[in-house]
Amino acid sequence: MTWVEGAAGSPYGVHNLPYGVFRHGDRAPRIGVRVADFVLDLDGAEAAELILAGGALRRPVLNEFMALGPGQWSAVRARIVELLVDEEHRADVEPLLVPLAEVELLLPFEVADYVDFYSSEHHAANVGQIFRPGQPPLLPNWKHLPIGYHGRAGTVVVSDTPVVRPCGQRPTSDGPVFGPSQRLDIEAEVGFVVGVPSALGDRVPVDDFAKYVFGVVLVNDWSARDIQAWEYQPLGPFLGKSFATSVSPWVTPLAALADAWVPAPDQEPAVLDYLRDVPHLGLDLRLAVDWNGERVTEPPFATMYWTPAQQLAHLTVNGASLRTGDLYASGTVSGPDRRQVGSFLELTWGGTEPVSVGEDPGRTFLADGDTVTITATAPGPDGTTVALGEVTGTILPARSVSPVAVA
Amino acid sequence: MTWVEGAAGSPYGVHNLPYGVFRHGDRAPRIGVRVADFVLDLDGAEAAELILAGGALRRPVLNEFMALGPGQWSAVRARIVELLVDEEHRADVEPLLVPLAEVELLLPFEVADYVDFYSSEHHAANVGQIFRPGQPPLLPNWKHLPIGYHGRAGTVVVSDTPVVRPCGQRPTSDGPVFGPSQRLDIEAEVGFVVGVPSALGDRVPVDDFAKYVFGVVLVNDWSARDIQAWEYQPLGPFLGKSFATSVSPWVTPLAALADAWVPAPDQEPAVLDYLRDVPHLGLDLRLAVDWNGERVTEPPFATMYWTPAQQLAHLTVNGASLRTGDLYASGTVSGPDRRQVGSFLELTWGGTEPVSVGEDPGRTFLADGDTVTITATAPGPDGTTVALGEVTGTILPARSVSPVAVA
C-alpha cells in the first residue's frame, strides 16, 4: 500500500507507473513517473541517490534509460515501488512529487525510426470492402506477413500538439486539385517503443520481444484519406500521413501490462516459422475514442491478428537493425462491430453513413476545431485497472494556400 | 591556384571541397574536407582558430554545421579556399592535411528521416513495362506529383559497409517461402541532405531549395525484388529495402555544383502551382555503375523528370517539418538507353536478359561476393570536373536461417 495520496484505487497506482518527460515551471525537461495525480521527479530522485541508474534518469528524454535493458528496467521499477510504499522513504520522496496539474508533458523519447503496421483483420477487411467492393476484402499477402511501412519519425508529436489540416493533391474528375484535405481522419493505434538496439544483419527472434521492447504508447496516426488515395500507388502512403502522428506522453512499461496478455486470434493459414510465437499472445487493451468529448467507438486491441512479437520479428527478419527509440505502431485497431472501429473512414463507411456527434447528426470526417481523444485501459494485478494515459489533438485550419517565404 | 600537392587538375580541387567525417588512427571522428588526395582536418582548423564556425566543425558529424544555413556555409567554404590558396597560410594548414589513404571514412551525418522518391520517368516506365506488361507504363498520378515514400533511416550506412543478403518471404506457386533473397538488386540514386530545419505546419516553397539543402551524396538503395514484390501491396516497400541503404562518405556542397544546373525535361501536363519551379533546373550529374569493376551502366541524372526543388516542395506541402540530417533520394536514375539504367532489374529486363560481367555471360541479380560501385561527376567551373566520390558495397552471404538468440 502506497502512502501517495489518491493512489489507492487509482488506475495510476503503484501497479502502473508509466514513464514520461515533464517540464515544471522554467526548469529543463526531466524524466518522471506518474503515480495517481502526481509526477515523481526521477531526475531529482537520482540526483538525491534515492535511485541509481547510472545517470540515465537525469536526461531530457527516456532513450538512455530505455537502452539499459530489462534487468535495469526491473530494478528501477522495483526501487520506485519501494520508495512509494515504504513509509521510511516518505520524507525524502514526498518533496519530489509534483502535482500533475502543474506540469507540461513533453515527447517522452526521441523517435528513431517510426514503422506503422496494418495488423487488424477487421480494419484491413473494412478498408478492402470500402475501396475494392466486390473483391476479396484482404489482399493475398495479408495473412502471411504483418504488412507495414515506414512513417515520418520527425513529425511524431506528443499528445495535445495541435494538428494543422494538411494541404495536398486530391483527385477530381478533372484531374488533381490542390487544397486542404477534405477527408481528414484518425487512426487509433497502439505503439511499441524499442529500448535495446540490435546489430545490423541480425534478427530478433519472435520469442525475444521482451528483451527489446520497453513499453507502450497510444498513437493517433492522423490520415488525410483524399491525399492518401491519390498518392499511394505504387509506393504506399506518404503525405497523407506524414504531417503529424500523435503519441501519448506516458510510456507504459511492459511490466505494468503483465496481467494483460491474452491468447491472440488463431492464425490460419499457419505462419512461417520465424513468425510462430508460442504462446501466441496479444494484449487486452481496451481503447476508447472520444470525438469532441463524445464516446464514438471502443476498439479492442485483443482482436489484433498479428501480435507485437510477430511484428518485431518480421521488422528485423531481413537484418534491419533496431535503435533505441524505434517506434512501431500496430495499425488501426478495429474490432468486429461498427462501434469498435479505429477510424472514421470505417465508422462512417467511407463517409457514406454519417454519425451523430454532439448536436450535429451528419458528421463524417474531421472539421476544423474538432478534438479527438484516445484513451485505453488494461487489466492489472488483483483486479486493478491500468490506464495508458491519453493521446489527444485538435484540428487547426489549413494555413494559407500560398507558400510562406522564409527570410 | 592552390599550393596543395596534386590538386591542380584534380576533380577534388578547390572548386569541389566535399565534406565528410574521418577517423585517423585512434583519434575520435572528425569533420574534414577533401582536397586532392588529402583530408583537411577541420576540427583541427577550428581548434587553431584558422576557421570560425562557432564550434560546429568540432563535432563528430556534420549536422550542427549543416544547420547553420547558407550564409555560414558560404563563409566557411570561402575561408577554406583562402587557406588552401594563400601561401601565407601554408605553414599553419599543411600539418592539418591527412593523406586520404590513412583515414577511415564514416557516415558523415546523422540521418534524421530518409525519403526515397521515384522521379525518373525512364525508370518508372521500365518498371511498369516489366511488372505490368500491356498496361500504360506510368500510373495516373505519376506526372502530377513526385511519388515517394519513407525508408529506414537507421539502416543508412556509409560506403564500404558490407551488405548481408537479406532473408524474407518470397512468393511461389505453393505460397510464400522463407529464405535468402534470390533477386538482390541495386538502385543508383542521388541523395539530397537537408541542413536547415523547418517548422511543423509550414511548407518550403519550391524556390527555397537552396535555403534548406546543404549538399548531395550518392546513394545505393539496395533492393530485394522478390521480397518487395510480395510485400508491397498496399502500403509500399518495407523489408525489401530496409536492410541497408549505402551513401557516399562525401557530401558535395551545392556551391560546388553551381555550374552543373541544366534545364530539366519539360513537364506535360503542367504541374500544380506549388511544384512550378522557374527556372526548371536539374543537375547534370553523370553517374556510372561498376559491377565487380566492370562498367555496366552510366545513368544520366539530368534526365530526371522531377527536380530536387520540386521534391522538397512536395515533401513539405502538407506541413511536414524538416530536420537537419533529413535525406531525400531521387529514386533510381535511368536514362532512355539500356546502358543508362540505374538498376539490374532494368539492365536485365526483369532478369530475363542476362548480361556479361567479367567472364560470366549470364548475370542477372547480385551474387554473394559481388561488389557494386557507383561514382559520379559533374561539370565544374572553367572546364573543370567535380567528382562526387563513390558509394560501394560488397554482398555477404545470408546469415543462418535459424534466428540467432541473444543472451
Side-chain angles (χ1 to χ4, degrees):
Chain A
M1 195 65 175
T2 171
W3 49 260
V4 178
E5 187 191 340
S10 164
Y12 295 102
V14 289
H15 62 294
N16 187 345
L17 300 176
Y19 293 91
V21 170
F22 69 100
R23 197 198 310 270
H24 187 217
D26 51 11
R27 292 200 304 198
R30 293 184 167 205
I31 292 175
V33 71
R34 178 168 177 180
V35 54
D37 289 331
F38 298 94
V39 181
L40 172 61
D41 173 358
L42 291 182
D43 182 298
E46 186 161 14
E49 297 183 8
L50 292 166
I51 303 180
L52 300 177
L57 296 171
R58 309 207 59 199
R59 299 285 177 270
V61 285
L62 288 170
N63 295 58
E64 188 173 324
F65 174 59
M66 298 196 303
L68 295 178
Q72 288 282 325
W73 304 339
S74 292
V76 167
R77 181 173 168 86
R79 179 60 178 164
I80 293 171
V81 171
E82 205 168 70
L83 293 175
L84 296 174
V85 167
D86 291 358
E87 278 290 337
E88 61 173 308
H89 295 301
R90 183 167 181 169
D92 290 334
V93 173
E94 207 156 26
L96 297 171
L97 289 178
V98 184
L100 189 61
E102 294 180 9
V103 308
E104 178 190 3
L105 295 170
L106 306 177
L107 190 66
F109 59 99
E110 192 180 330
V111 182
D113 269 300
Y114 166 49
V115 163
D116 195 22
F117 283 99
Y118 186 59
S119 289
S120 160
E121 181 174 0
H122 301 293
H123 172 67
N126 286 338
V127 170
Q129 287 171 56
I130 291 169
F131 288 121
R132 301 184 306 271
Q135 294 179 46
L138 296 178
L139 292 173
N141 56 10
W142 199 89
K143 289 205 165 181
H144 293 282
L145 48 77
I147 295 286
Y149 69 101
H150 286 90
R152 190 164 184 82
T155 52
V156 174
V157 296
V158 72
S159 177
D160 244 349
T161 305
V163 174
V164 177
R165 179 179 298 275
C167 290
Q169 295 192 24
R170 60 177 197 276
T172 72
S173 52
D174 293 332
V177 297
F178 180 79
S181 170
Q182 312 282 299
R183 290 164 70 93
L184 188 56
D185 196 1
I186 65 154
E187 290 192 340
E189 308 195 12
V190 174
F192 294 85
V193 186
V194 171
V196 176
S198 70
L200 188 66
D202 284 352
R203 55 184 95 139
V204 174
V206 69
D207 297 334
D208 282 0
F209 168 77
K211 295 178 181 169
Y212 291 89
V213 170
F214 173 74
V216 173
V217 290
L218 300 179
V219 177
N220 187 344
D221 184 32
W222 307 94
S223 299
R225 300 297 177 194
D226 39 5
I227 295 172
Q228 185 183 349
W230 173 236
E231 74 181 357
Y232 89 106
Q233 289 285 14
L235 300 183
F238 185 39
L239 302 192
K241 303 275 196 173
S242 65
F243 56 95
T245 304
S246 301
V247 298
S248 59
W250 298 112
V251 184
T252 305
L254 287 185
L257 299 172
D259 292 272
W261 293 100
V262 290
D266 288 341
Q267 295 182 315
E268 179 57 40
V271 299
L272 286 163
D273 279 350
Y274 78 93
L275 291 170
R276 192 169 299 150
D277 49 351
V278 180
H280 176 57
L281 298 177
L283 281 167
D284 183 16
L285 310 181
R286 300 156 194 183
L287 278 63
V289 179
D290 293 342
W291 189 348
N292 294 339
E294 187 169 329
R295 179 71 38 98
V296 287
T297 79
E298 295 186 339
F301 190 70
T303 62
M304 299 299 281
Y305 190 85
W306 295 102
T307 69
Q310 291 178 316
Q311 291 169 334
L312 188 67
H314 185 64
L315 173 56
T316 60
V317 76
N318 67 343
S321 47
L322 298 174
R323 290 184 294 171
T324 300
D326 279 351
L327 169 67
Y328 67 96
S330 58
T332 307
V333 181
S334 292
D337 298 329
R338 183 68 68 88
R339 289 293 175 168
Q340 293 184 313
V341 297
S343 71
F344 297 164
L345 178 77
E346 294 162 271
L347 180 66
T348 67
W349 210 249
T352 63
E353 300 177 14
V355 295
S356 171
V357 178
E359 300 191 345
D360 188 341
R363 297 304 306 276
T364 52
F365 293 99
L366 287 162
D368 291 345
D370 276 0
T371 296
V372 175
T373 303
I374 303 167
T375 54
T377 58
D382 306 320
T384 57
T385 295
V386 174
L388 284 91
E390 66 173 37
V391 56
T392 190
T394 297
I395 305 303
L396 299 185
R399 298 208 179 150
S400 159
V401 172
S402 52
V404 180
V406 291
Chain B
M1 196 66 174
T2 171
W3 48 260
V4 177
E5 186 191 342
S10 165
Y12 295 101
V14 290
H15 62 296
N16 187 344
L17 300 177
Y19 292 91
V21 170
F22 68 100
R23 198 197 311 270
H24 187 220
D26 51 11
R27 291 201 305 197
R30 292 184 168 207
I31 292 175
V33 71
R34 179 168 178 181
V35 56
D37 289 331
F38 298 94
V39 181
L40 172 62
D41 174 358
L42 291 183
D43 182 300
E46 186 160 14
E49 297 184 6
L50 291 166
I51 302 180
L52 299 177
L57 297 171
R58 309 206 59 199
R59 300 283 178 271
V61 285
L62 289 171
N63 295 56
E64 188 173 322
F65 174 58
M66 296 196 303
L68 295 178
Q72 288 283 323
W73 305 339
S74 292
V76 167
R77 182 173 167 86
R79 178 61 178 165
I80 293 171
V81 171
E82 205 169 70
L83 294 175
L84 296 174
V85 167
D86 292 357
E87 278 291 337
E88 61 172 309
H89 296 300
R90 183 167 182 168
D92 291 334
V93 174
E94 207 157 24
L96 296 172
L97 289 178
V98 185
L100 190 61
E102 295 180 11
V103 308
E104 178 190 2
L105 295 170
L106 307 176
L107 190 65
F109 58 99
E110 192 180 329
V111 182
D113 270 299
Y114 166 49
V115 163
D116 195 22
F117 283 98
Y118 186 60
S119 289
S120 160
E121 180 173 1
H122 302 292
H123 171 68
N126 286 338
V127 169
Q129 287 171 56
I130 292 168
F131 288 121
R132 300 184 306 272
Q135 295 178 44
L138 297 178
L139 292 172
N141 56 12
W142 199 91
K143 290 206 165 180
H144 293 282
L145 49 77
I147 295 287
Y149 68 101
H150 285 90
R152 190 164 184 82
T155 53
V156 174
V157 297
V158 72
S159 178
D160 244 348
T161 304
V163 174
V164 177
R165 179 180 297 275
C167 289
Q169 295 192 26
R170 60 177 196 276
T172 73
S173 52
D174 294 331
V177 297
F178 181 79
S181 170
Q182 313 283 297
R183 291 165 69 92
L184 187 56
D185 196 1
I186 65 153
E187 291 192 339
E189 308 196 13
V190 174
F192 294 83
V193 186
V194 171
V196 176
S198 70
L200 187 66
D202 283 353
R203 55 184 94 140
V204 174
V206 70
D207 297 334
D208 280 0
F209 168 77
K211 295 179 182 170
Y212 291 89
V213 170
F214 174 74
V216 173
V217 290
L218 300 179
V219 177
N220 187 344
D221 184 32
W222 307 94
S223 299
R225 300 296 178 195
D226 39 5
I227 296 173
Q228 184 184 348
W230 172 236
E231 74 180 358
Y232 89 105
Q233 290 283 14
L235 301 184
F238 185 38
L239 302 192
K241 303 276 197 172
S242 65
F243 56 95
T245 303
S246 301
V247 298
S248 59
W250 297 114
V251 184
T252 306
L254 287 185
L257 299 173
D259 292 273
W261 294 99
V262 289
D266 288 341
Q267 295 183 314
E268 179 59 42
V271 299
L272 287 163
D273 278 350
Y274 78 93
L275 292 169
R276 191 169 299 150
D277 50 352
V278 181
H280 175 57
L281 298 177
L283 281 167
D284 182 17
L285 310 182
R286 299 154 195 185
L287 279 63
V289 179
D290 293 342
W291 189 349
N292 295 339
E294 188 170 327
R295 179 72 38 100
V296 288
T297 79
E298 295 187 337
F301 190 71
T303 62
M304 299 299 281
Y305 190 84
W306 295 102
T307 69
Q310 291 178 315
Q311 291 168 335
L312 188 67
H314 186 65
L315 172 55
T316 59
V317 75
N318 67 344
S321 48
L322 298 174
R323 290 183 294 171
T324 299
D326 279 350
L327 169 66
Y328 67 96
S330 59
T332 308
V333 181
S334 292
D337 299 330
R338 183 68 68 90
R339 289 292 175 169
Q340 294 183 314
V341 298
S343 72
F344 297 165
L345 177 78
E346 294 162 90
L347 181 66
T348 67
W349 210 248
T352 63
E353 300 177 16
V355 296
S356 171
V357 178
E359 300 190 346
D360 188 339
R363 298 303 307 276
T364 53
F365 293 99
L366 287 162
D368 292 344
D370 276 0
T371 296
V372 175
T373 304
I374 302 166
T375 54
T377 59
D382 306 320
T384 57
T385 295
V386 174
L388 285 91
E390 66 174 36
V391 56
T392 190
T394 297
I395 305 302
L396 300 185
R399 299 211 179 147
S400 158
V401 172
S402 54
V404 180
V406 292

